């Protein structure tokens, strides 16, 4: 699930590897594409969170990053030169928040081998490896054919029905101040989904910005899986992106993949019938 800069460097030019640059900034949607044009890992194709990894926003109905239309996303995979047999490596600036979105989308489609570059481009630069300024021109193959596994997600209605289910743990990947409703820099309403647990995605990382060892992640997620595989864990965040980081980390630690509420907080608050909680409870 993870690949080191050294390992990826040894596979540059390998026909089975497809490298995807997922850099993005919520406060500057053009940042990632411009950064890619400035420099990127050789052979990498750029994936734009808004345009490639999400569907268009429907104001008042969807969250900020709805899941992409399946056929549109499959067409993008073909354009990016990705086949179901390839080893896909996703990276961003470092933390893996945006890379984990692509990882989840591909797992949703049943892709067998998707990895995140541990430490992202920051770690690649620190290792002294070369960068390219030439945009990749991938060779398109046959259409990517796949059927999404809807068991990996929950809808707002399904989540609403589970709020008081003691066998369900709902994890919020946002930082504690946003969870508590003390601040909300992005969405128009502050707070969290009732009975959710604050589980910031940054706590999956070391101070150096790489993923913590698997045993540490296993301890972190242990309480959320206290009843074994029968315990249901659902992840959300602001818009369904950093929640994928918690899903990736839990699975990396050896637990069954938590489910994703893709609409997340930004969709939840569009329905006035959805309850809202503030504070740390």
């Amino acid at each position: 699930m993870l690949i080191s800069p050294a390992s990826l460097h040894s596979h540059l030019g390998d026909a089975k590897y497809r490298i995807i640059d997922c850099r993005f900034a919520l406060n500057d949607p053009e940042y990632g594409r411009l950064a890619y044009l400035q420099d990127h890992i050789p052979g990498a194709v750029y994936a734009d969170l808004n345009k490639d990894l999400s569907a268009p926003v429907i104001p008042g109905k969807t969250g900020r990053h709805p899941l992409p239309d399946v056929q549109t996303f499959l067409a993008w995979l073909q354009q990016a030169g990705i086949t179901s047999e390839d080893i896909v490596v996703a990276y961003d600036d470092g933390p893996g928040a945006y890379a984990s979105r692509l990882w989840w989308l591909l797992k949703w489609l049943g892709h067998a081998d998707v990895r995140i570059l541990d430490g992202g481009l920051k770690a690649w630069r620190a290792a002294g490896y070369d960068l390219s300024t030439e945009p990749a021109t991938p060779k398109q193959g046959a259409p990517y054919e796949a059927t999404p596994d809807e068991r990996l997600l929950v809808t707002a209605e399904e989540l609403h029905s589970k709020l008081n289910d003691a066998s369900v743990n709902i994890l919020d990947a946002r930082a504690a101040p946003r969870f508590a409703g003390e601040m909300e820099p992005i969405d128009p309403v502050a707070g969290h989904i009732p009975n959710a647990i604050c589980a910031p995605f940054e706590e999956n990382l070391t101070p150096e910005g790489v993923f913590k060892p698997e045993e540490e992640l296993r301890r972190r997620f242990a309480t959320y899986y206290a009843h074994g595989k029968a315990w249901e864990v659902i992840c959300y965040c602001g818009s369904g992106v950093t929640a994928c980081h918690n899903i990736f980390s839990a699975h990396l630690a050896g637990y069954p993949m938590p489910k994703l509420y893709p609409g997340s907080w930004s969709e939840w608050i569009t329905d006035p019938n959805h309850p809202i909680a503030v504070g740390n409870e």
Side-chain angles (χ1 to χ4, degrees), residues 30-221:
E30 291 302 312
Y31 158 75
R33 188 174 299 277
L34 293 175
Y36 170 82
L37 292 174
Q38 182 175 342
D39 59 27
H40 52 267
I41 294 176
V45 173
Y46 182 66
D48 188 294
L49 173 64
N50 283 350
K51 299 174 182 177
D52 303 318
L53 307 184
S54 305
V57 173
I58 302 175
K61 184 176 181 180
T62 70
R64 287 182 281 107
H65 294 106
L67 292 184
D69 170 76
V70 173
Q71 293 306 315
T72 301
F73 184 57
L74 292 175
W76 178 82
L77 291 174
Q78 182 184 13
Q79 182 182 4
I82 298 173
T83 74
S84 60
E85 304 301 318
D86 289 330
I87 298 170
V88 179
V89 178
Y91 75 88
D92 51 35
D93 280 314
Y98 303 113
S100 64
R101 167 74 166 211
L102 177 59
W103 173 86
W104 187 90
L105 288 172
L106 287 171
K107 300 310 290 184
W108 181 49
L109 295 180
H111 199 98
D113 199 338
V114 193
R115 308 178 193 181
I116 290 178
L117 177 61
D118 200 9
L121 193 61
K122 179 181 179 181
W124 182 270
R125 292 185 193 277
Y129 295 132
D130 290 341
L131 293 165
S132 173
T133 59
E134 295 296 323
T137 54
K139 181 179 179 181
Q140 298 184 33
Y144 193 115
E145 297 181 359
T147 301
D149 185 353
E150 302 301 330
R151 297 172 299 176
L152 298 183
L153 53 80
V154 297
T155 65
E157 292 73 20
E158 290 170 335
L159 182 57
H160 195 185
S161 71
K162 296 174 182 287
L163 293 185
N164 296 311
D165 188 336
S167 68
V168 176
N169 273 330
I170 305 168
L171 306 186
D172 187 325
R174 298 174 301 163
R178 289 184 69 193
F179 175 88
E182 297 170 358
M183 61 170 289
E184 182 46 68
I186 303 174
D187 294 309
V189 178
H192 61 268
I193 296 173
N195 296 324
I197 301 166
C198 185
F201 81 92
E202 293 93 338
E203 294 181 11
N204 299 320
L205 304 168
T206 70
E208 293 72 32
V210 298
F211 282 85
K212 290 179 178 177
E214 291 179 23
E215 58 271 20
E216 289 189 37
L217 292 174
R218 193 171 297 115
R219 287 194 295 270
R220 183 190 186 202
F221 287 93

Side-chain angles (χ1 to χ4, degrees), residues 7 24 32 35 48 66 135 142 170 238 269:
S7 180
F24 194 80
D48 188 294
I170 305 168
I269 58 176

